Amino acid sequence: MRSVRCTGCRVGGVRRVGERRPETPAEADGTAGLFVALGKMVKFLRERKGLTQKEFGELVGYGPDAVSSMERGVRTLRPEVLIKADELLDAGGLLKEVLPEVEEAMAKTRTRHPEWYRSYAGLEADAVELHFYASNGVPGLLQTQDHAWAVFAKRRPFLDGETIEKRVTDRLSRQQVFERSPAPIVSYVLEEVLLDRPIGGPRVHADQLRRLLHVGRMQNVEIQVMPTRVEEHPNLGGAFNLLTPKRYGQVAYTEVQGYPRLITELDEVRKIVDRYGIMRAMALSPSESRKLIEGKLEEL
């Protein structure tokens, strides 16, 4: 399979991913302190109002995991959330007052992923379609905060706490793709084994299954499970992502043992698209997949 190997080439104006080992995360852009402070303010006002994270999240249109991330400064508190929070939490205009600073910070925020990952992250953030086949790990866009932490904490060689925090922050920040308007078309084919491995322990695993059910209910997302009982399918070569960036042709992305590949050659991408279509036909339907996930959740 041909893949991009040069670091200076570009695809649709985006620098191609070179085939090299991951580097440490890029330095923070200087806006983190603002969102940490805002998160603390929102948490204080929410607790003063007597609302749980779940209750507050339902009022502003986010899940409890997202609210937790916002309050910790891990996830950006967007202007529309601050406007709603100001009114719901009786902030008296305090949160609205900082909107210009928030908008300025968002405008200059740069991607905080490792250098080797920046090109893919840019494509993903701008894609009109995203399709994933996962064989040995829950895709990053579907992971809960605790699941992501457990994954990075088990890396070898070990990562220090600060690096883990940065990696988790970056992973959760990518999930804002689900909140875009217009929303991208997203689909997943997940091997059933991913639903059985209790990464992080029973509680974390249960929350992860609930996260799959939550995302799977989104209008623009379809999650399908490939049952373990299926003897074989056309892609036993490993996981991959398919992306259709805005204004550019579809590309494929793979990563093995820290070596990323952004595949752009039309014939090679077409082969992966063909495999993915066959796998979707062989996998359980979205509704059947939900029932399977719900059953596994009940068994915990």
Side-chain angles (χ1 to χ4, degrees), residues 141-158:
L141 293 182
L142 295 178
Q143 292 181 9
T144 65
Q145 178 176 311
D146 289 340
H147 181 103
W149 186 279
V151 168
F152 286 121
K154 292 297 183 181
R155 286 283 178 90
R156 297 294 190 279
F158 288 112

Side-chain angles (χ1 to χ4, degrees), residues 158-171:
F158 288 112
L159 302 174
D160 59 62
E162 182 179 358
T163 299
I164 294 174
E165 183 73 27
K166 288 181 179 179
R167 298 281 178 95
V168 172
T169 298
D170 295 340
R171 180 155 293 181

Side-chain angles (χ1 to χ4, degrees), residues 197-209:
R197 180 168 293 121
I199 291 177
R203 181 190 63 80
V204 173
H205 185 54
D207 287 342
Q208 180 60 65
L209 294 180

